[in-house]
Amino acid sequence: MNIYRHGRAYAPHDYQSRPAPVRVPEEAGEGRLIWAAVTDVLLAPGIGVAVVAGLLQYSLSDLVFAPAVLGIALAASFVNHVFGTVLFRGSFGKQLFGLRVVRATTGRRSGFWRAVGRWLLGFVLLAAAMLAEDGVGIGEANGLRVIRRRDERQ
């Protein structure tokens, strides 16, 4: 059964209402983002030192101490930022300060590769910010946005 409208035939399912536009909360304020970032930045090397000095029993004078700490810190950062974002919608620091990472267009969970891209871009921007001596955030990198958890429920 076709229904005619404006000279065009429409199937009955064409008249179903279109979905309402998606409301994605605004990005979280800089204060919360900074504290979450500081927490995450301190967490990775802290885990690196704890594993290398505590579990592996290396001392500061060992030649492998610094490279091992760096490697474990990078791995901890990857797990925290990528798997934390994919599984829990945010890293440890973001969870601690009531933030979530969502897709900027739909408000849904991040995919694995978007989280990886955001993590890598974070290192690039961190290096650029250090060279420019100017604080820079990663904002909506890779199509992801950091929001307050309570804004998501509204």
Side-chain angles (χ1 to χ4, degrees):
M1 173 178 143
N2 287 335
I3 300 172
Y4 288 92
R5 181 173 161 203
H6 303 291
R8 184 172 160 211
Y10 288 88
H13 66 275
D14 288 342
Y15 282 109
Q16 293 175 355
S17 63
R18 292 198 164 80
V22 177
R23 184 189 94 57
V24 180
E26 293 295 318
E27 191 168 21
E30 285 294 319
R32 283 179 185 250
L33 286 170
I34 289 170
W35 284 109
V38 167
T39 301
D40 288 333
V41 164
L42 294 176
L43 181 67
I47 290 172
V49 169
V51 168
V52 172
L55 291 176
L56 301 178
Q57 300 291 313
Y58 286 113
S59 69
L60 191 56
S61 61
D62 291 330
L63 290 176
V64 297
F65 186 85
V69 168
L70 179 63
I72 292 172
L74 283 172
S77 174
F78 182 84
V79 168
N80 183 33
H81 285 94
V82 175
F83 289 108
T85 296
V86 171
L87 299 175
F88 306 112
R89 300 183 102 179
S91 63
F92 177 78
K94 287 176 184 63
Q95 292 293 326
L96 187 65
F97 289 95
L99 301 173
R100 285 212 170 150
V101 177
V102 298
R103 290 188 185 196
T105 54
T106 63
R108 293 186 166 196
R109 285 183 181 271
S110 162
F112 177 77
W113 292 111
R114 284 182 191 265
V116 169
R118 189 173 197 275
W119 178 72
L120 290 171
L121 189 59
F123 281 113
V124 171
L125 287 177
L126 178 65
M130 292 172 83
L131 291 173
E133 296 180 12
D134 185 22
V136 170
I138 62 173
E140 291 187 4
N142 254 25
L144 301 176
R145 176 185 292 176
V146 179
I147 62 169
R148 293 186 311 176
R149 190 177 13 224
R150 69 178 179 180
D151 289 345
E152 185 177 41
R153 293 184 223 132
Q154 295 175 355

